[in-house]
Amino acid sequence: MEAGAAKGGEEGEEEGEGGVEVVGIGLNAQELAANPLLKETVLQDLNADPRIPAAVGPLRATVCVVSVDYLTKPLAVLASVRERTVEGGSVHLVVSNRCFPTKAIGRWLRIGEEERLKMVGDYLWWSGWGEVEIVEVCDGRMKEGEGGGGGGGGLARLMGMFGGVDPLWVVRAVKVAQDGDTGGEKSCLRSLSNAPMYKNREEL
């Protein structure tokens, strides 16, 4: 999986132009090296070692694009990201309905879209994040007149052809002040639910 994180200067330092540095973490050294936005890169398999290196941080925002379904230890990874994040910092997990079935975790393949989104929200909830929110970026519906006609619109959308797009969501959260890390007082703002779907972290 690949993830990107933005970090600013020291606490109290004003952020001007060039004040934000982007760090990339992933498995593919060539892809990381080819990304011109990255100030730093970390070659790491988060399934083998879910801890974000101490040198990465303090983080202000972290983005994981269509890769959370490949994490085998999502709570450990997200808890580590939270540890490296400043108070008020955020995490954004971009989710689609496409994946590599041979790489995705088994549960991801057994459940539908809505339950997947709730499960990702619960990853954040149970790893200590607050203000968890599920946002629909794109519903994946084809625009009028697209799809090539002839009743092939559904297939075209699945294939990403003729202007069709995949549905896309962002499951996001904020590091909020709290007493300890039990999460009992965190605000959970959910577009699909107002409480965790999974009642304990062992279910995830």
Side-chain angles (χ1 to χ4, degrees), residues 66-70 95-111 116 166:
V66 293
S67 294
V68 70
D69 45 324
Y70 306 135
V95 178
S96 181
N97 65 351
R98 290 200 186 195
C99 69
F100 292 103
T102 57
K103 297 182 179 179
I105 61 171
R107 179 175 294 178
W108 192 269
L109 303 176
R110 296 194 299 268
I111 60 180
R116 287 172 181 169
D166 295 329

Side-chain angles (χ1 to χ4, degrees), residues 10-48:
E10 297 297 327
E11 185 176 354
E13 179 181 330
E14 292 187 8
E15 289 188 30
E17 185 177 352
V20 175
E21 298 179 356
V22 182
V23 181
I25 302 177
L27 286 168
N28 191 311
Q30 290 183 327
E31 290 182 358
L32 290 171
N35 190 330
L37 296 178
L38 300 182
K39 177 74 172 182
E40 301 175 32
T41 61
V42 178
L43 193 64
Q44 180 173 328
D45 181 352
L46 292 174
N47 285 338

Side-chain angles (χ1 to χ4, degrees), residues 161-176:
M161 300 169 63
F162 304 116
V165 293
D166 295 329
L168 199 68
W169 302 267
V170 175
V171 186
R172 61 191 183 189
V174 176
K175 181 175 180 177
V176 296

Side-chain angles (χ1 to χ4, degrees), residues 153-165:
L155 177 60
R157 183 169 71 86
L158 290 174
M159 298 298 293
M161 300 169 63
F162 304 116
V165 293

Side-chain angles (χ1 to χ4, degrees), residues 111-155:
I111 60 180
E113 289 176 1
E114 182 172 315
E115 189 172 346
R116 287 172 181 169
L117 294 172
K118 291 180 179 179
M119 182 172 70
V120 174
D122 284 354
Y123 287 166
L124 292 168
W125 174 268
W126 287 111
S127 57
W129 293 86
E131 300 181 16
V132 181
E133 184 178 17
I134 301 169
V135 179
E136 183 180 76
V137 178
C138 176
D139 62 12
R141 296 174 184 169
M142 298 187 69
K143 297 178 181 178
E144 185 176 354
E146 294 179 337
L155 177 60

